[in-house]
Amino acid sequence: MDTMGSRGSPARPLALWALTRTVLLLWVLKVVVFPGPDVTSDVSGIYRGWYDVLRTGTFPLDDVTWQYPPAAALAILAPGLLPFLEYTTAFFVLVLLADLATLALLLYAGGRPGRSRRGAWVWVAGVPLLGPTVYARYDVMVTAVAVAALLAGARRPRLLGALAAFGALLKVWPAMLLLGVRRRSAWVSAAVTGVAVAGVFAVLMPGAFAFLGFQRDRGTEVESLGALVFHVARHHGWDGQVLLNYGSVEFLGPYVTWVSTGAMVLTGAALAWLVLWRLLATRFEPHTLADAAFVAVLMFTTTSRVISPQYMVWLVGLAAVCLCHRGSRMRLPVALVLVASFVTVLEFPLWFAHVVASDPLGVALLFLRNGLLVAATFLAARALWRATVPRGIPPAAPAPHPRSAAEAPVSS
């Protein structure tokens, strides 16, 4: 019996969700201490500080760690809706509610004719694989918006467009949900929503777009694909450093700028491939929208100068939507993303000291996690191309090989 794909009772996924999320809450509330660095300090320190600044009606213009679009202010201010709770606790409660709302959407969608509840199981199992970090960032909230947008799909294109635009103003990447959209009404709705929301922030809060400059100046974060160059180079005399820079642990020193530029070139190549796919694709099925979004976000995550652990929840959410469709070609890439999520919690926070030290364990974990992402990207892109582009047109190379960053002239 196919219990994962059945449209039966949602009791089992709900029960497992309750169990795993109880464990996550115990970790972030420090009732049970998770090994490694304290991942909740971003909420209690950074987010809490931003909250105090945002309440005055301006963005934190003097803080280079503020690297988010203007609507991110809503996520940071949201704990104020629960004044009876301390800020950090209120934030965790809101993330829990966003997590539950995502599951409810996936269960509802999976129960419709022709759909599957595999997507709900992917969400239930995938989120806790990332450990406490997943509740100590606002990415679950953004992913909830993205999941709602994709599930709106072809039936409500205006809602899809509005939610994608709002999600992009929360954390940019949901803009890629529009890649597989063919209905003009969705694009119009996205444009209107984006301009309206951005305009309100620009008028009411100074510095709404200061994040663009902060994001531009980031370097190569130690968990990224390009960072593997320097993890290996440190064992062969490279004399750079690993320092906290622009809110993340990055490599600084000789040739870092070159590798960062190489990563941006790879991202540009991924964008070019996606545009080519969109121009040549002719066969669109109900699952194509979700599959295309999953491929796009995989490409941009894998080639990014920064692959922070919380980025993986984006992929888990989109993977879950893909598997809500019985016809999705993304099953193997989704499985690879779930394995990569488990490896991610091993490299951060569990053994992050080994990653920072570039010792054999840390380097092996990064090669494994990033290798899984590269493999998932290639397989997902190839499946999307073969399913949608006429056979007479050969598939283009969709994404970088792990060596690409190393061969470049020396990514929230």
Side-chain angles (χ1 to χ4, degrees):
M1 180 178 178
D2 183 9
T3 57
M4 291 289 284
S6 72
R7 291 172 52 206
S9 170
R12 292 178 65 185
L14 281 170
L16 183 58
W17 181 89
L19 176 62
T20 55
R21 275 43 174 191
T22 298
V23 173
L24 284 176
L25 285 176
L26 290 174
W27 282 335
V28 294
L29 293 173
K30 299 180 183 177
V31 176
V32 177
V33 177
F34 195 86
D38 178 14
V39 300
T40 66
S41 60
D42 276 27
V43 180
S44 58
I46 297 173
Y47 286 13
R48 185 66 176 82
W50 289 342
Y51 174 81
D52 291 334
V53 174
L54 291 166
R55 289 177 64 193
T56 67
T58 186
F59 286 90
L61 303 178
D62 298 325
D63 187 349
V64 295
T65 62
W66 176 262
Q67 298 173 12
Y68 308 107
L74 300 177
I76 304 303
L77 290 169
L81 298 172
L82 304 176
F84 49 89
L85 294 176
E86 186 268 333
Y87 180 88
T88 303
T89 304
F91 181 87
F92 297 146
V93 170
L94 291 174
V95 173
L96 176 72
L97 293 176
D99 182 355
L100 180 58
T102 305
L103 176 62
L105 289 170
L106 292 166
L107 286 172
Y108 174 76
R112 290 170 51 197
R115 299 290 185 90
S116 169
R117 286 209 167 113
R118 285 192 182 91
W121 282 105
V122 168
W123 181 254
V124 168
V127 169
L129 288 178
L130 294 168
T133 307
V134 74
Y135 267 26
R137 308 291 187 270
Y138 79 92
D139 295 82
V140 171
M141 301 177 185
V142 184
T143 304
V145 174
V147 168
L150 283 178
L151 292 177
R155 299 181 64 188
R156 296 174 181 166
R158 290 185 180 86
L159 179 58
L160 162 61
L163 288 173
F166 180 68
L169 288 169
L170 282 170
K171 207 162 188 181
V172 180
W173 68 266
M176 288 181 278
L177 305 184
L178 295 169
L179 258 169
V181 174
R182 294 187 295 168
R183 298 282 294 273
R184 181 183 298 180
S185 57
W187 286 91
V188 172
S189 176
V192 170
T193 302
V195 170
V197 175
V200 168
F201 277 105
V203 170
L204 297 181
M205 296 183 70
F209 296 97
F211 78 98
L212 293 171
F214 298 155
Q215 190 66 248
R216 177 195 62 213
D217 296 333
R218 294 194 75 159
T220 296
E221 190 253 353
V222 294
E223 296 162 278
S224 66
L225 186 65
L228 292 172
V229 175
F230 300 110
H231 283 294
V232 173
R234 291 176 84 182
H235 294 275
H236 298 279
W238 182 72
D239 60 353
Q241 296 176 292
V242 177
L243 297 173
L244 184 64
N245 187 53
Y246 286 95
S248 64
V249 181
E250 298 180 352
F251 281 113
L252 299 175
Y255 311 118
V256 171
T257 302
W258 292 8
V259 171
S260 295
T261 301
M264 289 188 283
V265 169
L266 291 175
T267 299
L271 177 60
W273 186 93
L274 290 164
V275 171
L276 179 64
W277 166 78
R278 188 63 183 83
L279 292 173
L280 297 178
T282 59
R283 296 191 297 267
F284 285 80
E285 300 179 69
H287 56 81
T288 302
L289 176 64
D291 288 357
F294 180 59
V295 170
V297 176
L298 254 177
M299 284 184 166
F300 280 86
T301 300
T302 303
T303 60
S304 175
R305 293 171 293 168
V306 180
I307 307 181
S308 295
Q310 64 268 23
Y311 291 12
M312 297 299 296
V313 76
W314 314 345
L315 299 175
V316 171
L318 299 182
V321 179
C322 287
L323 293 200
C324 277
H325 299 272
R326 294 183 183 275
S328 175
R329 273 78 169 176
M330 297 297 148
R331 292 187 186 182
L332 179 54
V334 166
L336 293 177
V337 164
L338 292 178
V339 176
S341 297
F342 175 69
V343 179
T344 296
V345 80
L346 298 181
E347 60 92 358
F348 184 89
L350 192 59
W351 288 320
F352 191 58
H354 296 275
V355 172
V356 173
S358 299
D359 68 17
L361 175 59
V363 174
L365 288 171
L366 285 183
F367 265 103
L368 177 58
R369 196 280 301 273
N370 292 346
L372 287 165
L373 289 179
V374 169
T377 301
F378 268 108
L379 292 171
R382 185 179 65 175
L384 179 66
W385 186 281
R386 290 181 173 179
T388 57
V389 176
R391 290 190 179 274
I393 303 175
H401 187 277
R403 293 174 57 194
S404 298
E407 293 169 356
V410 176
S411 228
S412 56

